[in-house]
Amino acid sequence: MTGSRHDRGLVEAFLDDEFRQVWAAERSTGEPRFLPDGEAADLRAIAKAEWRCPVPDCEVEITTVGGTSRRHHFRHNQPSPHASDGESEFHLAAKAMIAAWAEARVPTNASVKEERWTTKHPDTSRYRIADVMVTWETGHQTAFEVEYKNYAPEDWETKQSDYDNHDPNPIACAWLLGHLRLKRPPRGSHLADDPSIVRIPLLGQEWNKAGRPLLVINPVTRQIGTITSQHEGPYGPESPEEEDTYGRLYVDALDDCELDTERGIVTPTMRRIDVALARRRTAEEKRRRADETARQQRLAQEQEAQRRRDEKQQRNSLFAQRNAQRWNASPLKDIAAMRWGSHVPDILTDSSGEWWWIHAEPLHWHLALYENCIHDRPIGTTFTINDCWSALAAHQIQTNNSRSNRFKALVAFLEALTRVSLISIERQQSGLISHLQIDATLDDLERIRHERAERAKKTQAAREAADAESRRVKAVLQQQRREQKKERTERLEADSARDWQAQKQRLADIDARKAEHEKHWIDSDIHRDVAAVHGGEIPPAIKWPGGEHLAAIHATPAHWHAHIYMTHVHGQPTGNQVTPETARKTLEAADINLDENTQSVLTAIDAYLYNLTQRGILRVPTDGQRSYVLA
């Protein structure tokens, strides 16, 4: 969308609420007539002779006016008999503009009527009047409704329902807000920096929720505004509420808009939105197809992988059945049962290595190798890898065709035997295994395993005891910290309570002093003198409570003000001079208790004397001296 539609001046001109009548009507036909800006002089004669105000029953002659600084418009030559608050005129002008615009665009056999068509609702028997109604050659109808007044959302829903349920065919309806219904964001808002952001009224928010285009009309500028989401641009919404109540306004000339049977008005902005939505739908459909293709490929791969797993599982199951049958038929099984019963050593039953390269159950070939190469042989006896292969062959145990694979399986078991110290492996300098040596018996391994288990139990017990002691110490420390924190809290609370009591006492002392000063003032002779002179009232010039350093004079302000006022102001001739120093001496003579800080006392007195100048009682001489003269 072009930047010009965001131009601040363009938006402000569109939202201008100053009324200028730019529409008139032919006296003979009632056809609407528009006054383009700058053509007032050219159209003045015809306006006076042949045109009239579009307000019904208004017969006052109109003329055209305008200048270089104001938009050219119509004006009544005499006071008009109708209200001229602007809103009804805007509404009339908007209807006339839509009717003229639609009339210029409908096919030959279609018709345009302005506020003359009615429809009766079958249930409520209410008549609905469209502002402008287009009837197409097919009989299909499109209504235009312009809302300048505060139209309730529930009333709109009822009226739209009447259009939707019209018999025999639904009526398409284009709703347009009057431009006076839009407001800019408040000053100071982050949205106010964007010239295109406007506040959406409640009716417009309901249109948005219903999926309808949000259009705005201005008959003065002959423009249609389209409000879109404010997500575009740098000024996005800060909250969901803000997203619903604010939008971005694009302004288009009415002549650039299209007349549509379903949507009524299609602005260039709406066309751009349609193109953008079509592209988005195309991209989403392309992405959906790509996702579906990828999903089908993943599904095919997963099915193929599952097929291979199933085949492998079937092969392994067959191998396991065959290996179990051979083990059950082997004499080694009876030897194992006779020697160990159900407690065969773990090292012989371990199946964690690469045993599958030897085609027998782990216990079967482990026991075959153990019986032929290790069992009942003295410690220190040696044997070779070939002896191992011979042991397996003697028990008819088959191996994998791959020499390296079956060798890895054998070496894995031999290394497991070295880890439990049953044998040791001797290697040549090249790393090849030269021979294997027996270092212990399985009985030794059981004893060693038992010793290891006992050591592990003791280690675990010691670790648990250490953990328990650590937890105990930690709990003690935590308890100590809690008690210390409680003591600090109680100490702070006690200190705070003492401070509060001291503060209350100070405030009570201040209140007592104030009460004492007030009583002293009420009972004083100067109070009676002031009241007698001023008819029982204390004048504001004495009662003034303000000023600086009041605490430096230990009396109510009115008390010491009265001494100064009655001594240096009341009854004194014009031009009588008074200074803060002379006033201080007056207070001393009246036994007013003054602070030892003389400067604070003089500052308080000077503030009072200056207040008297504000009241016009005293004035400050122009010689620059800090003295006052009775005005």
Side-chain angles (χ1 to χ4, degrees):
M1 299 181 182
T2 61
S4 62
R5 289 178 167 78
H6 281 230
D7 179 71
R8 183 182 297 274
L10 185 64
V11 172
E12 290 178 350
F14 182 83
L15 299 179
D16 183 14
D17 59 359
E18 182 177 353
F19 176 69
R20 296 183 181 90
Q21 187 170 335
V22 297
W23 285 88
E26 285 273 4
R27 289 187 179 276
S28 58
T29 65
E31 294 297 322
R33 292 293 178 258
F34 178 72
L35 176 60
D37 193 16
E39 298 186 13
D42 297 336
L43 297 177
R44 185 170 294 127
I46 192 172
K48 290 181 178 181
E50 301 179 11
W51 297 353
R52 63 171 177 82
C53 173
V55 176
D57 301 326
C58 179
E59 297 298 334
V60 177
E61 182 184 70
I62 62 173
T63 185
T64 59
V65 294
T68 58
S69 60
R70 296 190 66 193
R71 199 240 189 261
H72 291 197
H73 58 281
F74 295 109
R75 185 185 68 190
H76 294 77
N77 278 333
Q78 298 176 4
S80 57
H82 55 85
S84 58
D85 59 2
E87 184 168 302
S88 59
E89 285 86 345
F90 277 131
H91 186 257
L92 291 170
K95 291 193 300 178
M97 182 176 75
I98 290 295
W101 169 80
E103 186 69 39
R105 286 162 174 76
V106 294
T108 304
N109 295 329
S111 64
V112 178
K113 292 185 179 181
E114 178 186 343
E115 206 175 65
R116 298 191 184 97
W117 178 88
T118 61
T119 179
K120 186 176 181 181
H121 191 276
D123 297 329
T124 63
S125 298
R126 290 180 301 205
Y127 282 91
R128 294 300 189 189
I129 302 176
D131 288 333
V132 176
M133 176 65 73
V134 175
T135 302
W136 305 89
E137 58 268 58
T138 61
H140 179 79
Q141 292 174 310
T142 304
F144 294 83
E145 295 283 1
V146 178
E147 300 302 335
Y148 265 97
K149 293 186 179 298
N150 190 15
Y151 199 51
E154 54 270 20
D155 293 336
W156 165 76
E157 290 177 353
T158 301
K159 192 168 186 178
Q160 182 60 49
S161 176
D162 291 347
Y163 282 133
D164 293 339
N165 297 311
H166 178 262
D167 187 32
N169 298 313
I171 297 175
C173 183
W175 293 85
L176 299 100
L177 283 173
H179 70 286
L180 299 182
R181 301 294 305 281
L182 298 187
K183 304 297 180 185
R184 293 277 292 123
R187 290 184 179 179
S189 167
H190 74 288
L191 297 175
D193 294 332
D194 189 332
S196 67
I197 296 297
V198 293
R199 186 177 182 88
I200 304 173
L202 289 177
L203 181 59
Q205 295 177 33
E206 290 300 317
W207 295 354
N208 263 342
K209 293 176 184 177
R212 304 186 67 87
L214 187 47
L215 302 179
V216 189
I217 188 169
N218 187 330
V220 177
T221 61
R222 282 183 58 84
Q223 292 172 324
I224 301 295
T226 308
I227 299 178
T228 69
S229 168
Q230 59 159 314
H231 282 295
E232 306 169 13
Y235 306 99
E238 290 187 343
S239 66
E241 178 184 1
E242 194 175 87
E243 183 174 3
D244 293 336
T245 56
Y246 288 96
R248 189 176 299 276
L249 175 65
Y250 294 89
V251 177
D252 296 297
L254 178 61
D255 291 337
D256 294 336
C257 300
E258 296 176 0
L259 178 63
D260 185 80
T261 58
E262 295 299 327
R263 293 192 285 181
I265 292 181
V266 178
T267 66
T269 299
M270 293 170 63
R271 289 197 296 270
R272 285 189 290 273
I273 292 174
D274 291 342
V275 170
L277 290 176
R279 290 175 178 172
R280 185 181 305 169
R281 285 193 293 268
T282 300
E284 290 177 352
E285 178 61 22
K286 184 177 180 181
R287 184 167 56 252
R288 188 196 64 78
R289 290 197 298 267
D291 292 344
E292 179 62 20
T293 300
R295 189 187 70 82
Q296 293 292 344
Q297 290 176 348
R298 288 195 303 271
L299 180 61
Q301 292 172 355
E302 291 173 358
Q303 292 174 344
E304 177 63 19
Q306 184 62 41
R307 184 188 63 78
R308 292 177 180 176
R309 286 193 296 270
D310 292 343
E311 290 180 352
K312 183 177 181 181
Q313 185 175 1
Q314 291 177 358
R315 289 195 302 270
N316 291 340
S317 178
L318 292 175
F319 288 150
Q321 292 176 6
R322 185 191 61 189
N323 292 340
Q325 291 172 356
R326 291 177 178 177
W327 167 246
N328 291 329
S330 172
L332 292 173
K333 182 177 182 181
D334 296 333
I335 293 174
M338 180 184 61
R339 189 176 300 161
W340 296 294
S342 60
H343 301 289
V344 178
D346 294 340
I347 190 64
L348 298 180
T349 60
D350 184 16
S351 60
S352 60
E354 301 182 36
W355 315 127
W356 52 88
W357 300 119
I358 297 178
H359 301 163
E361 289 193 358
L363 177 57
H364 191 176
W365 71 270
H366 292 171
L367 185 56
L369 191 151
Y370 176 79
E371 283 294 312
N372 283 48
C373 299
I374 301 174
H375 183 65
D376 284 344
R377 294 196 177 190
I379 293 175
T381 301
T382 61
F383 60 97
T384 66
I385 292 295
N386 287 333
D387 293 334
C388 296
W389 297 129
S390 298
L392 297 179
H395 290 276
Q396 298 180 348
I397 294 176
Q398 299 178 359
T399 60
N400 191 270
N401 293 330
S402 172
R403 181 176 180 181
S404 61
N405 287 339
R406 65 174 181 257
F407 181 77
K408 285 193 294 185
L410 177 62
V411 171
F413 175 60
L414 296 175
E415 289 178 343
L417 297 180
T418 63
R419 286 193 293 273
V420 297
S421 302
L422 186 64
I423 65 172
S424 58
I425 298 176
E426 300 296 332
R427 297 180 181 272
Q428 303 173 3
Q429 289 185 346
S430 61
L432 296 176
I433 296 176
S434 61
H435 63 274
L436 304 107
Q437 178 176 300
I438 301 174
D439 294 335
T441 65
L442 283 177
D443 293 337
D444 294 334
L445 294 183
E446 287 299 310
R447 177 180 53 79
I448 293 171
R449 185 185 63 79
H450 178 73
E451 291 175 353
R452 288 176 178 174
E454 289 298 320
R455 286 197 299 271
K457 287 181 180 179
K458 292 179 180 179
T459 301
Q460 182 64 24
R463 185 180 297 110
E464 292 175 353
D467 291 343
E469 178 63 16
S470 176
R471 290 193 295 271
R472 186 191 68 79
V473 172
K474 183 178 181 180
V476 171
L477 292 176
Q478 288 178 342
Q479 181 62 26
Q480 290 176 351
R481 283 195 291 270
R482 284 194 292 268
E483 292 175 354
Q484 291 171 357
K485 182 178 180 180
K486 181 180 179 181
E487 291 176 358
R488 288 196 301 271
T489 302
E490 292 174 348
R491 188 165 56 253
L492 291 173
E493 290 176 349
D495 293 343
S496 177
R498 284 195 299 272
D499 292 343
W500 171 237
Q501 291 299 329
Q503 178 66 10
K504 287 203 299 184
Q505 186 60 45
R506 285 194 296 272
L507 294 174
D509 293 344
I510 291 172
D511 291 340
R513 284 196 299 271
K514 286 183 177 180
E516 181 183 353
H517 291 163
E518 185 65 24
K519 184 177 184 304
H520 190 194
W521 156 239
I522 296 299
D523 296 339
S524 67
D525 293 337
I526 192 68
H527 183 275
R528 288 190 290 273
D529 293 343
V530 171
V533 170
H534 295 89
E537 296 292 334
I538 306 300
I542 292 178
K543 289 195 299 183
W544 179 62
E548 301 180 62
H549 297 285
L550 294 180
I553 301 177
H554 306 307
T556 62
H559 194 170
W560 61 270
H561 290 172
H563 280 289
I564 296 175
Y565 187 86
M566 297 301 291
T567 302
H568 299 283
V569 176
H570 180 71
Q572 299 299 319
T574 301
N576 184 55
Q577 188 178 37
V578 59
T579 67
E581 181 59 32
T582 59
R584 184 182 69 82
K585 292 179 179 180
T586 298
L587 297 181
E588 287 180 343
D591 291 331
I592 298 296
N593 189 11
L594 304 178
D595 198 88
E596 294 180 357
N597 188 339
T598 303
Q599 186 58 44
S600 297
V601 174
L602 293 176
T603 301
I605 295 172
D606 185 70
Y608 174 57
L609 296 177
Y610 182 74
N611 179 259
L612 293 180
T613 67
Q614 300 295 103
R615 299 175 184 275
I617 299 173
L618 299 180
R619 61 182 176 81
V620 181
T622 58
D623 57 6
Q625 298 297 321
R626 198 56 171 168
S627 63
Y628 300 86
V629 176
L630 190 61

